[in-house]
Amino acid sequence: MAGLRKMLMEDQVLDIVPFSRTTLWRLERSGKFPRATYVSANKRCWFEDQLIEWQATVDERQPNRRRGKGRKPAAEREKEAAKHAEESPA
């Protein structure tokens, strides 16, 4: 028989990760966070080893991630704005 795996309830997971309940749900739904296991009709939990594995891969997935959806650094946005200003007729 395999060894027992520690199970964490939602409140315990939310104490570990810097997400709201809604963000946790969105990440789980999109496949970016381990899926919960329902242990009863209204109670779900996560296996601790899956969360540890997820934490180890966070930086590996997007080491150069920035804030926002595909947002470019300010310097790059300013260069593009200047380029468009030069191209557009006055």
Side-chain angles (χ1 to χ4, degrees), residues 34-70:
R35 287 220 175 257
T37 300
Y38 282 85
V39 293
S40 69
N42 296 317
K43 196 59 98 172
R44 63 188 193 148
C45 62
W46 287 261
F47 291 105
E48 183 180 45
D49 59 337
Q50 289 178 332
L51 294 182
I52 292 169
E53 198 175 301
W54 171 82
Q55 284 178 326
T57 64
V58 169
D59 287 332
E60 293 173 9
R61 281 196 299 261
Q62 297 177 350
N64 298 319
R65 67 182 173 272
R66 298 182 290 269
R67 187 174 178 186
K69 294 182 179 179

Side-chain angles (χ1 to χ4, degrees), residues 5-24:
R5 296 165 66 190
K6 186 173 181 178
M7 300 172 97
L8 303 173
M9 304 310 289
E10 186 174 42
D11 291 339
Q12 292 172 305
V13 172
L14 291 171
D15 285 342
I16 295 171
V17 296
F19 304 138
S20 67
R21 180 174 283 157
T22 303
T23 300
L24 181 66

